[in-house]
Amino acid sequence: MHNPYLPEDWTIMAMREEIEDHFFLELRPPAGSRVWEYTPGQFCGVSILGIGEAPISLSSSPTRPETLQMCIRKAGRLTSAVSKLSVGDVLGLRGPLGKGYPLEQIQGRDVLILAGGLGMVPLRSLMTYVLDNPERFGRLTVLYGTRTDLEFLFYDELTRLGKSGRAEVELITQEVRPGGRYRPENGDRKGFVTDLLAGGFCRSPGETFVAMCGPPVFYRYAVKTLLEKGFSKALIFMSLERRMECGLGKCGHCSVGYRYTCVEGPIFNYWDAYNTPELIEIREGQPWINS
Amino acid sequence: MDQLVIGIFGLTGCAGDQLTILNCEDELLLIAEKVTMKSFNMASSRELAGRVEVALVEGSVCQPEDLAMLREIRERSRHLVAFGTCAAFGGMAAMDQRVHPEVLRDTVYGPDGEPFEAIRARPLSSFVKVDFVLPGCPVEKGQLLETLSCLLKGSFPDIACTPVCAECRSRENLCIVLERDEVCCGALTRGGCGARCPSLDVSCAGCRGPVEDAYYAVNADLLKGRGIDREKIRKKMMLFSAPAGMGERLEREFD
Amino acid sequence: MLRKRIEIKHLTRVEGHGGITIELVDGTVKTVHMDILEGTRFYEALLKGKGFLEAAAIVSRVCGICSASHAVTAQLAVEDAFGIRVDSRTVRLRELLLLGEIMESHALHLFFLLLPDYMGYPSALDMARDHPIKAKMGLFLKQLGNRIQEAVGGRAIHPPNVMVGRFGKVPGRQVLSDLLACVEDGLALTPALVDLFASLEVPVLLEEATQYLALSSRDGYRFVSREIAATDGKVFQASEFSRVCNERVVAHSHAKQSLYSDRPFAVGAQSRVVVNGGELTGAAAEALERFVSAQGGMGRGNPISNSMAQAVELVHALQAAKEHLVDILTNGAGDAPPETVIEPVKGTGIGLTEAPRGILYHRYDFDDNGIITEADIITPTAQNLANIERDMRLVAERFGEISADGVVLSPAMGCLANRDLSFVLQVIARAYDPCISCSVH
Amino acid sequence: MRILRFHKSHLEVWLDLIAETADLYVPKKAGEKAHRFERYEDFQEVDLSYTRTILPPKKFLFPPEETLFSRDAGSDSYHVPEIPDRDVVLFGVHPCDINGIRVLDVFFGSFDRPDYYYQRRRKKLRIVGHSCMPDENCFCQSMDAETAASGFDLFLNDMGDHYLVTLGTVEGDLLLGDRADTLPEATAEDMTELMAGIRRRREAFTLELDTSIVPQAVSLHQTDPVWEELGEKCLTCGCCSLGCPTCTCFNIRDTNTLGGSAKRSRTWDACLYRDFATVAGGYNFRPNRGRRVQHRYYHKQVGFAQSFGQPSCVGCGRCIKMCPTGIHFVEVFRALQENSLKQEMGRDA
Ligand SMILES: Cc1cc2nc3c(=O)[nH]c(=O)nc-3n(C[C@H](O)[C@H](O)[C@H](O)COP(=O)(O)OP(=O)(O)OC[C@H]3O[C@@H](n4cnc5c(N)ncnc54)[C@H](O)[C@@H]3O)c2cc1C
Ligand code: SF4
Ligand code: SF4
Ligand code: SF4
């Protein structure tokens, strides 16, 4: 009988502080095993036995199957302990968990990636996937906003991508800080992600697949703007965060309404979310996403 | 590997938490092997000054000297742990916040005493930053060992903050409130003791301090509804469940 | 005029915060203060207005080391006030609990706080490295005491199981027979224990007559009684105790002090052995004889003998615990079902026990509803303080030869040879095994 | 399905026999009116006339605390603790609890991610059911759980001086041992009597919940004042959930030893506790007590049913009995339904 609670020991091959308190990790599977088969949008359980476990998104793409990549923010006990590790150390991994993006549904469509802050982490997986399979998808647009320009993740990678012309990439930040990455010469802008949406980015909004991930406030405004712009509710997908302990739909912590976020999510489309009590409320006439 | 250096300090309290360290008879030698204990006055004459990684501070602040000592400890330590209920919530000494400390003093020392300054007993967090709270009157041996072990790994432990009732149910006890119409502070009190008292058929006195969301009003209504005299309820809850700072809430919610 | 002030800010290897200040002028001792710097919690005031059901839970928090004594004494006082009779099994279990506390407390003192002084280590943990067998014996006996307290009291510290008139839950047969097996193991250690402490070279610091007070027991060496005996031959009743010990406030300390007929007196293991030693039997009686022949009598005023008395009591506690366990296991339930419905009665109740450090006295006045209107707690360390100061004064006067860099002692002091006065004063204080949180409550 | 006649006078011998080869648990008294499933030691202690045990049988399948795995210092492999090899036989389980276990079976086997720890204990569990009479808190009838159609190995119908034993599985035959083919089959007369008994029992229910519009009522009344009122009344002690035969929430927590070994274990949790939905940084998705109560009710009656085809309540009445402040599962839904009706009438008027 398979024991899905048991982690495997993966080895850290590369580790760097991507931005302050956010650690980029690249991991290799235990000897004799291969990297799991997974779909962008899925996550895994990262643990150090004795400290704990946390759900962390996979940031790499299955099209590059040698390693797994992730980006972990120092937020509490486990993540702080992870931040103290270094190359060669092992980390317990369990996964892949959850349901990723419905790739068949995206097939042939334009893809709009809409990220806020740490939300770029899981979306980078989808982004890489789309780029690695240009024949299967339409145009790729990446809109990424942060609170300050100190918080841009994968800045160089995104800027290079924008310049390469393989995708339309726009970075925007609310606040420019000393030492930050904001470079107007690269086309970086100041403002909110929703400002980017105001421009006519997509040829046919109603047909474009939207993948979005970000903090609660981000969803609140982004969904509203997308709907105003005529994007299709059935094609808006968001990643919704909840407390998770097991990732197997058993511990109950992530349960909302009739759903277990960890197995039926974390990716939900607008209707899923709308139909699930607690995920979306209508406030002041506007959808209010509780994430 | 460098040894973990912890300091063990006592402000005003009963020394029960420090004694709990010495009560880990089976593990004591191992602890001594892995941890350097500084300032453990109760057990050692070797006073080592200097910085400590973690300070376990027992007792509450009951006199100006305590406060001075607490500030010095904070200066000296990277992390400060409120060690036991007195340190975490004020404990017994902080029970009757309605009575002025000078009145308390005069009751005990009468008119002959040399008037020393009496201040209201307060938990550590009223004065300094507390990094971790290890409650218990005294702390549970298992949780103490877990704290030390986890500190050796460089982290604070993951200690539950669910009420005593959770453990009481898990141990399949009968509920004292429902069976005997007695005041039990289980629902107000943070677990971790394995529902020690209800399992002995003794109602919970609340010695591990209040859960973060103690609902005094609901508990009081429940007990009043079962015909228990309100003063009785108040007295029991005042022991530990409504410590310094929360006592006022209890009073407010009570009627 | 040559003035010298010796100040020990923090006494170590005692429970709580205390210091010692001595002032000498031209070689004569002017003042001796045992400064109790511990903060006060005002327990007597906190008790006012609380119900009789809460008393034990509150007062047990006076002290972590002798919490069982406080809890039992509180219940004795409540029962005295309300006229509650307690069944024989409850009585036995309480005695057993107190014996567990004696074991834990004495083993802690003897092995952790005292022995390092004799063996020249700053702490027991340092000592353990070189003398693992001694350390393990101490740990075993200490743990045994805790096991008994856990099984009977529900917890090693602040025992919640001790209730008015009864125990919440009486330990089951399995638990009791496991304990019995452990006690047997403990008894097997007693020869080694006695050898160890009889082999110590005990310095005779003093041989001044001392007044000893202890609860007097006639049917065996007991820790609960309602009669107090003094070595001057007088016997007092429980109700007379507060008059007899005459507790009063002193200026230099948060702890009160006591005097018997205006003179300091001692309580504790040594006092008990002096007063009730005749009741000791078996290995405990033999141990006492052994110590007396090796180190001189217990009643000669040498405070250091208190530790040897503790060793004697440790042996006794093991013997007595076995007796109680066997009795409870064979006779099962007590003579009458314990009372569960308690009717408060207006009046006063007094509880008296021999805590590890001596006589513990609780007095409560209750109103009709069982609410405490007045409380008085007199702890053993508070009773001993005046005597500790007396002993220190005598020692300082005897050895207080001042040299430029301190006070040097005569070399004929056994392990205390060539130690300075401040060290010797600490040794005296530690010999009493003072419990400072008790003394300031 | 064979039904056999078993005389009660043989019960003790039979239980002794089972206890020889399996860990046998039976209902025993735990106070005046309370019971617990405890290890069989002495036949005199077995009390089959109980109504409900304090904890349901879930404690045998999903214990309050369970070690998932551990690792010794310096080792690079995880150690999953073994469970005893012997079968566990639960004797005298009532239909609601049998149905409760069926709910657990569905849940712990769900999402293509079966729960390893549950499954391995489940494989070793044999269930001998026992008929019962309802008290004022039983409403299994309303929850369609008053009889167990399956989920037992044997089921004993109490007929006075004998049982009519329904055989549920082959393992049930094995439990009967040699008796399996020597016991007389039930006669037509027996069956008539059995039917009469079932009818008597059916009539004995006093508590009823009309479940027909429960899902709609709960879904419609997401913002009903009932929830706030319940929030005001709930102690959040969690007793209802921990004692529920079908509540399954747990926490995973790591612990360490001084020697450097560490283990991961799970303990029961309840969605009523304040930090149940709190994530790193302290954001709480359900900070409000009323919302937490609502979540429990919604999940049990609607959410679970939507995911797994049946509500996760079997009407055992434990949460009613257990709630210190007297929150009554059935009354809550009645109140919601009444509010629905009121609204309806308000609209008509
Ligand atoms: C699907 C998903 C994907 C995520 N991806 C990433 C990522 O790629 N990078 C990243 O930095 N963070 C990610 N997070 C958030 C991350 O899980 C938390 O920051 C992390 O759990 C903090 O753990 P800790 O032990 O350091 O915090 P602590 O506060 O010490 O522990 C918190 C406790 O609550 C639980 N918990 C806390 N926060 C969360 C949470 N957000 N979700 C679930 N359980 C939680 C943990 O299991 C733990 O028991 C993700 C969360 C989810 C649900
Ligand atoms: S006895 Fe006390 S702790 Fe136990 S369930 Fe009842 S209220 Fe909670
Ligand atoms: S049950 Fe209550 S009083 Fe007893 S140990 Fe636990 S928290 Fe303390
Ligand atoms: S919700 Fe209540 S009645 Fe229903 S199964 Fe759970 S405990 Fe029993």
Side-chain angles (χ1 to χ4, degrees):
Chain A
M1 211 186 325
H2 174 62
N3 183 348
Y5 290 93
L6 272 184
E8 300 166 347
D9 284 344
W10 288 54
T11 309
I12 302 176
M13 291 176 63
M15 180 166 175
R16 63 165 195 268
E17 194 164 4
E18 174 74 24
I19 57 170
E20 195 187 356
D21 282 346
H22 291 62
F23 295 83
F24 174 86
L25 291 141
E26 184 155 17
L27 296 136
R28 152 164 70 68
S33 318
R34 291 197 309 175
V35 174
W36 314 312
E37 284 175 21
Y38 64 98
T39 317
Q42 283 193 290
F43 63 99
C44 66
V46 170
S47 71
I48 298 176
L49 185 58
I51 311 284
E53 191 179 48
I56 298 292
S57 312
L58 298 172
S59 193
S60 46
S61 160
T63 48
R64 306 183 183 185
E66 301 77 32
T67 59
L68 279 184
Q69 294 173 346
M70 50 189 77
C71 183
I72 298 179
R73 183 177 65 95
K74 197 166 136 186
R77 298 175 57 256
L78 185 266
T79 46
S80 302
V82 169
S83 74
K84 290 182 207 149
L85 298 177
S86 44
V87 172
D89 288 339
V90 293
L91 205 51
L93 248 57
R94 212 158 57 82
L97 303 171
K99 234 169 49 186
Y101 290 99
L103 295 173
E104 331 70 62
Q105 207 180 338
I106 314 179
Q107 189 104 340
R109 292 186 192 277
D110 286 354
V111 177
L112 170 61
I113 284 177
L114 205 56
L118 195 55
M120 193 64 223
V121 174
L123 290 173
R124 177 172 173 266
S125 177
L126 180 67
M127 179 183 90
T128 314
Y129 189 88
V130 170
L131 290 170
D132 287 350
N133 291 291
E135 69 290 352
R136 286 171 55 194
F137 303 97
R139 257 167 35 127
L140 173 66
T141 310
V142 180
L143 307 183
Y144 179 27
T146 59
R147 210 169 40 82
T148 78
D149 65 335
L150 293 170
E151 293 161 21
F152 280 126
L153 290 166
F154 312 113
Y155 182 86
D156 296 335
E157 184 178 334
L158 290 169
T159 313
R160 243 181 290 123
L161 177 62
K163 289 192 174 139
S164 74
R166 294 162 67 209
E168 200 163 346
V169 178
E170 289 287 339
L171 304 186
I172 191 162
T173 186
Q174 291 166 43
E175 214 183 302
V176 173
R177 290 277 181 86
R181 288 192 153 119
Y182 171 77
R183 300 281 175 279
E185 62 274 26
N186 287 344
D188 299 349
R189 300 217 236 154
K190 273 199 274 189
F192 297 91
V193 197
T194 39
D195 298 345
L196 298 176
L197 283 171
F201 270 108
C202 299
R203 282 170 306 199
S204 44
E207 296 300 316
T208 302
F209 180 87
V210 185
M212 56 194 293
C213 185
V217 267
F218 162 85
Y219 286 118
R220 244 152 251 169
Y221 297 102
V223 170
K224 179 171 172 251
T225 316
L226 285 171
L227 294 181
E228 282 165 7
K229 290 267 157 196
F231 284 87
S232 155
K233 283 177 178 169
L235 290 176
I236 298 180
F237 281 73
M238 42 204 156
S239 181
L240 298 179
E241 194 192 15
R242 278 297 185 277
R243 163 114 173 233
M244 293 171 192
E245 299 269 323
C246 71
L248 308 166
K250 304 287 179 282
C251 78
H253 286 270
C254 72
S255 136
V256 274
Y258 61 96
R259 291 233 135 108
Y260 291 84
T261 319
C262 72
V263 281
E264 296 171 80
I267 314 293
F268 291 101
N269 79 12
Y270 181 90
W271 286 123
D272 278 333
Y274 191 75
N275 289 337
T276 308
E278 291 194 298
L279 280 185
I280 294 190
E281 284 167 46
I282 305 292
R283 288 194 199 166
E284 297 142 20
Q286 294 300 335
W288 188 271
I289 287 144
N290 284 317
S291 175
Chain B
M1 202 184 83
D2 283 350
Q3 272 207 327
L4 174 69
V5 181
I6 63 172
I8 293 154
F9 305 91
L11 306 180
T12 298
C14 78
D17 304 293
Q18 297 183 63
L19 184 60
T20 302
I21 303 179
L22 297 177
N23 280 355
C24 300
E25 291 95 356
D26 288 335
E27 298 85 5
L28 203 53
L29 298 178
L30 191 57
I31 295 176
E33 203 178 288
K34 306 232 163 197
V35 181
T36 304
M37 285 184 271
K38 282 192 179 184
S39 303
F40 195 1
N41 275 354
M42 185 178 172
S44 170
S45 308
R46 194 193 318 141
E47 166 65 19
L48 293 172
R51 287 188 64 76
V52 296
E53 178 74 13
V54 184
L56 304 185
V57 186
E58 181 195 80
S60 52
V61 175
C62 289
Q63 55 175 352
E65 291 84 344
D66 289 336
L67 184 53
M69 184 168 161
L70 175 63
R71 296 227 155 101
E72 194 202 317
I73 298 167
R74 182 68 267 190
E75 288 273 292
R76 281 176 58 182
S77 6
R78 202 156 105 91
H79 299 293
L80 189 144
V81 176
F83 188 41
T85 297
C86 285
F89 303 106
M92 270 299 160
M95 166 168 56
D96 230 327
Q97 298 275 329
R98 292 185 309 173
V99 185
H100 197 277
E102 275 164 19
V103 176
L104 295 174
R105 181 193 62 203
D106 295 344
T107 311
V108 175
Y109 288 89
D112 310 339
E114 184 155 302
F116 54 86
E117 199 181 332
I119 61 173
R120 267 185 216 287
R122 285 274 185 240
L124 311 188
S125 58
S126 304
F127 305 101
V128 297
K129 176 169 166 257
V130 170
D131 300 297
F132 186 71
V133 170
L134 192 65
C137 186
V139 293
E140 291 295 322
K141 211 156 127 178
Q143 290 198 336
L144 167 66
L145 290 171
E146 172 56 18
T147 305
L148 293 177
S149 312
C150 208
L151 282 172
L152 285 169
K153 288 210 167 142
S155 185
F156 283 115
D158 186 3
I159 280 178
C161 192
T162 45
V164 169
C165 293
E167 287 161 302
C168 193
R169 271 296 67 68
S170 301
R171 292 188 66 164
E172 210 165 1
N173 296 330
L174 282 167
C175 176
I176 290 174
V177 175
L178 292 176
E179 291 299 306
R180 295 216 304 266
D181 288 339
E182 270 181 37
V183 185
C184 179
C185 296
L188 288 169
T189 306
R190 46 181 82 194
C193 60
R196 168 177 277 109
C197 302
S199 306
L200 291 165
D201 233 352
V202 176
S203 69
C204 170
C207 82
R208 297 180 52 76
V211 287
E212 280 175 48
D213 49 355
Y215 300 127
Y216 297 111
V218 193
N219 276 273
D221 285 349
L222 154 69
L223 296 162
K224 279 190 262 184
R226 301 191 76 89
I228 307 175
D229 173 60
R230 77 186 282 288
E231 266 310 297
K232 245 188 186 162
I233 306 169
R234 206 184 67 86
K235 287 196 174 97
K236 183 106 186 194
M237 288 188 180
M238 273 304 212
L239 289 184
F240 291 106
S241 307
M246 294 183 90
E248 291 125 52
R249 248 193 71 200
L250 169 78
E251 299 298 339
R252 204 170 52 237
E253 287 189 15
F254 209 75
D255 298 288
Chain C
M1 207 171 54
L2 190 51
R3 266 183 184 279
K4 173 104 188 125
R5 197 181 155 91
I6 297 174
E7 229 185 277
I8 299 158
K9 276 230 159 78
H10 291 290
L11 270 171
T12 56
R13 279 183 286 140
V14 298
E15 185 284 315
H17 298 296
I20 300 166
T21 316
I22 288 202
E23 269 182 348
L24 300 120
V25 178
D26 287 334
T28 44
V29 180
K30 282 285 166 221
T31 45
V32 175
H33 281 164
M34 174 97 176
D35 313 305
I36 303 299
L37 317 165
E38 183 90 6
T40 31
R41 292 155 290 166
F42 309 114
Y43 271 99
E44 283 135 329
L46 289 178
L47 280 166
K48 277 175 99 165
K50 301 297 175 304
F52 70 94
L53 285 172
E54 270 84 59
I58 295 175
V59 293
S60 81
R61 266 78 187 186
V62 164
C63 171
I65 301 182
C66 37
S67 53
S69 291
H70 279 286
V72 170
T73 312
Q75 305 304 29
L76 291 172
V78 173
E79 289 154 9
D80 180 38
F82 301 168
I84 296 167
R85 261 192 45 79
V86 177
D87 70 308
S88 60
R89 183 175 58 178
T90 304
V91 171
R92 274 199 186 273
L93 281 169
R94 282 181 182 173
E95 289 250 355
L96 183 60
L97 174 69
L98 295 181
L99 290 168
E101 184 188 60
I102 288 278
M103 282 183 217
E104 195 282 326
S105 179
H106 284 3
L108 176 70
H109 182 239
L110 289 170
F111 286 88
F112 284 77
L113 313 181
L114 180 92
L115 214 45
D117 268 347
Y118 283 84
M119 322 258 308
Y121 292 94
S123 83
L125 297 175
D126 297 287
M127 183 186 81
R129 222 162 286 142
D130 301 336
H131 301 277
I133 307 220
K134 292 188 180 95
K136 288 216 171 103
M137 173 166 33
L139 285 170
F140 179 85
L141 293 169
K142 184 173 163 328
Q143 184 170 42
L144 177 53
N146 276 336
R147 276 203 192 159
I148 294 177
Q149 294 189 79
E150 273 158 24
V152 180
R155 178 163 58 192
I157 299 171
H158 309 323
N161 203 20
V162 182
M163 303 183 77
V164 182
R166 65 189 177 104
F167 280 92
K169 200 174 243 166
V170 173
R173 291 195 71 79
Q174 190 57 48
V175 175
L176 293 173
S177 39
D178 289 352
L179 275 185
L180 184 57
C182 290
V183 170
E184 299 274 11
D185 290 346
L187 279 166
L189 284 178
T190 52
L193 171 81
V194 176
D195 284 349
L196 172 63
F197 285 94
S199 71
L200 297 182
E201 211 181 311
V202 174
V204 181
L205 277 177
L206 287 174
E207 282 186 294
E208 248 72 13
T210 299
Q211 179 65 55
Y212 295 106
L213 254 65
L215 298 190
S216 75
S217 42
R218 296 211 189 83
D219 50 343
Y221 193 96
R222 307 271 301 276
F223 293 83
V224 181
S225 162
R226 297 194 67 77
E227 237 171 49
I228 303 105
T231 36
D232 61 7
K234 296 207 175 92
V235 173
F236 306 96
Q237 297 308 305
S239 56
E240 296 172 280
F241 184 74
S242 65
R243 181 180 57 76
V244 169
C245 81
N246 185 23
E247 199 185 50
R248 73 224 147 76
V249 178
V250 291
H252 62 275
S253 140
H254 291 175
K256 297 178 187 175
Q257 292 198 352
S258 294
L259 293 176
Y260 172 77
S261 316
D262 284 336
R263 294 195 23 229
F265 64 98
V267 292
Q270 192 175 0
S271 304
R272 288 190 290 261
V273 168
V274 171
V275 173
N276 298 320
E279 296 289 335
L280 288 168
T281 55
E286 285 163 28
L288 176 57
E289 240 168 72
R290 184 83 189 273
F291 286 128
V292 169
S293 63
Q295 297 156 346
M298 294 276 171
R300 293 178 316 159
N302 184 7
I304 309 290
S305 300
N306 188 43
S307 305
M308 306 310 134
Q310 288 182 327
V312 171
E313 285 195 338
L314 202 43
V315 177
H316 165 73
L318 288 160
Q319 284 180 173
K322 176 175 171 180
E323 228 171 83
H324 286 307
L325 283 165
V326 169
D327 182 273
I328 300 166
L329 279 164
T330 31
N331 298 332
D335 48 9
E339 306 208 22
T340 45
V341 184
I342 313 274
E343 290 295 339
V345 180
K346 186 180 165 129
T348 298
I350 290 174
L352 269 179
T353 56
E354 277 287 351
R357 287 155 192 77
I359 301 172
L360 176 62
Y361 168 90
H362 285 205
R363 195 205 82 225
Y364 310 132
D365 295 347
F366 293 102
D367 70 7
D368 297 318
N369 297 318
I371 305 293
I372 298 172
T373 53
E374 213 44 75
D376 190 13
I377 298 173
I378 305 177
T379 62
T381 297
Q383 295 167 55
N384 273 331
L385 283 174
N387 212 55
I388 300 179
E389 287 183 354
R390 181 200 82 133
D391 288 357
M392 289 180 176
R393 174 183 291 272
L394 289 171
V395 169
E397 273 169 3
R398 195 144 316 160
F399 303 110
E401 215 178 283
I402 306 174
S403 68
D405 54 343
V407 184
V408 182
L409 286 174
S410 71
M413 296 278 302
C415 69
L416 296 182
N418 297 322
R419 303 303 291 260
D420 63 16
L421 182 57
S422 92
F423 182 80
V424 176
L425 295 180
Q426 293 205 50
V427 169
I428 295 175
R430 270 183 223 138
Y432 280 87
D433 191 7
C435 179
I436 291 172
S437 357
C438 264
S439 71
V440 195
H441 41 269
Chain D
M1 207 184 260
R2 274 160 66 223
I3 298 182
L4 307 173
R5 215 167 195 279
F6 182 98
H7 202 271
K8 280 186 179 173
S9 56
H10 302 306
L11 193 56
E12 180 168 3
V13 182
W14 184 33
L15 290 178
D16 286 343
L17 204 69
I18 297 177
E20 274 175 26
T21 54
D23 291 335
L24 175 61
Y25 292 88
V26 292
K28 292 188 193 172
K29 260 197 165 25
E32 288 281 308
K33 275 172 283 172
H35 290 79
R36 293 188 194 106
F37 276 110
E38 282 175 356
R39 188 180 283 276
Y40 175 77
E41 272 152 7
D42 178 354
F43 183 70
Q44 297 312 315
E45 296 174 333
V46 182
D47 184 359
L48 290 166
S49 65
Y50 77 103
T51 307
R52 62 177 75 73
T53 49
I54 303 175
L55 283 183
K58 88 171 167 190
K59 69 176 180 180
F60 294 101
L61 293 162
F62 171 49
E65 179 166 6
E66 181 164 38
T67 300
L68 301 178
F69 53 87
S70 60
R71 182 183 249 181
D72 290 337
S75 158
D76 55 6
S77 61
Y78 296 105
H79 171 72
V80 178
E82 307 272 318
I83 55 167
D85 200 34
R86 281 154 67 102
D87 279 353
V88 173
V89 178
L90 274 188
F91 194 91
V93 189
H94 290 169
C96 60
D97 281 345
I98 295 175
N99 285 309
I101 294 173
R102 290 173 64 200
V103 170
L104 297 181
D105 286 347
V106 169
F107 176 73
F108 279 112
S110 63
F111 296 122
D112 302 326
R113 288 173 164 95
D115 189 277
Y116 174 84
Y117 297 90
Y118 178 88
Q119 304 284 17
R120 64 177 188 161
R121 285 184 196 273
R122 183 66 181 93
K123 281 202 186 114
K124 298 213 173 291
L125 187 72
R126 305 276 87 88
I127 295 166
V128 181
H130 193 283
S131 56
C132 53
M133 285 302 270
D135 74 359
E136 72 282 4
N137 294 323
C138 293
F139 62 105
C140 55
Q141 198 175 31
S142 309
M143 297 316 299
D144 239 351
E146 88 205 276
T147 51
S150 69
F152 55 84
D153 298 288
L154 293 173
F155 192 93
L156 311 186
N157 294 288
D158 192 342
M159 308 304 293
D161 62 351
H162 65 279
Y163 289 117
L164 290 178
V165 182
T166 312
L167 279 156
T169 62
V170 177
E171 281 76 15
D173 278 297
L174 295 176
L175 272 178
L176 278 174
D178 294 342
R179 288 185 191 76
D181 40 47
T182 55
L183 286 175
E185 301 262 351
T187 60
E189 216 170 290
D190 284 335
M191 294 316 284
T192 320
E193 225 179 294
L194 182 60
M195 289 306 152
I198 289 172
R199 207 170 310 117
R200 265 199 310 282
R201 175 165 180 266
R202 194 168 286 165
E203 281 153 14
F205 281 92
T206 51
L207 186 61
E208 211 183 318
L209 172 64
D210 175 5
T211 54
S212 56
I213 62 158
V214 160
Q216 288 78 355
V218 178
S219 297
L220 269 175
H221 295 275
Q222 303 267 348
T223 52
D224 199 281
V226 165
W227 303 122
E228 273 312 308
E229 286 159 23
L230 283 173
E232 287 299 310
K233 212 176 159 193
C234 173
L235 291 177
T236 64
C237 67
C239 290
C240 55
S241 310
L242 301 175
C244 172
T246 60
C247 272
T248 48
C249 291
F250 59 85
N251 238 322
I252 298 182
R253 189 165 277 129
D254 287 8
T255 47
N256 298 280
T257 66
L258 286 168
S261 67
K263 72 170 185 191
R264 183 162 293 166
S265 34
R266 65 175 175 195
T267 42
W268 286 358
D269 200 356
C271 58
L272 297 155
Y273 295 142
R274 174 176 173 271
D275 285 334
F276 188 79
T278 303
V279 294
Y283 186 82
N284 191 344
F285 283 100
R286 245 176 251 123
N288 176 300
R289 257 187 299 170
R291 276 302 186 95
R292 299 203 289 274
V293 178
Q294 179 183 15
H295 175 74
R296 178 168 191 272
Y297 282 79
Y298 179 92
H299 177 82
K300 297 206 78 73
Q301 286 288 13
V302 188
F304 196 90
Q306 234 166 317
S307 294
F308 303 108
Q310 75 200 87
S312 73
C313 168
V314 291
C316 73
R318 282 190 181 85
C319 59
I320 302 171
K321 187 102 206 308
M322 208 73 93
C323 179
T325 61
I327 294 177
H328 195 294
F329 199 84
V330 172
E331 300 292 339
V332 170
F333 291 108
R334 283 205 190 132
L336 282 175
Q337 287 172 349
E338 264 163 39
N339 290 358
S340 287
L341 277 177
K342 265 189 231 142
Q343 276 185 7
E344 188 111 341
M345 290 188 326
R347 219 189 21 227
D348 288 351

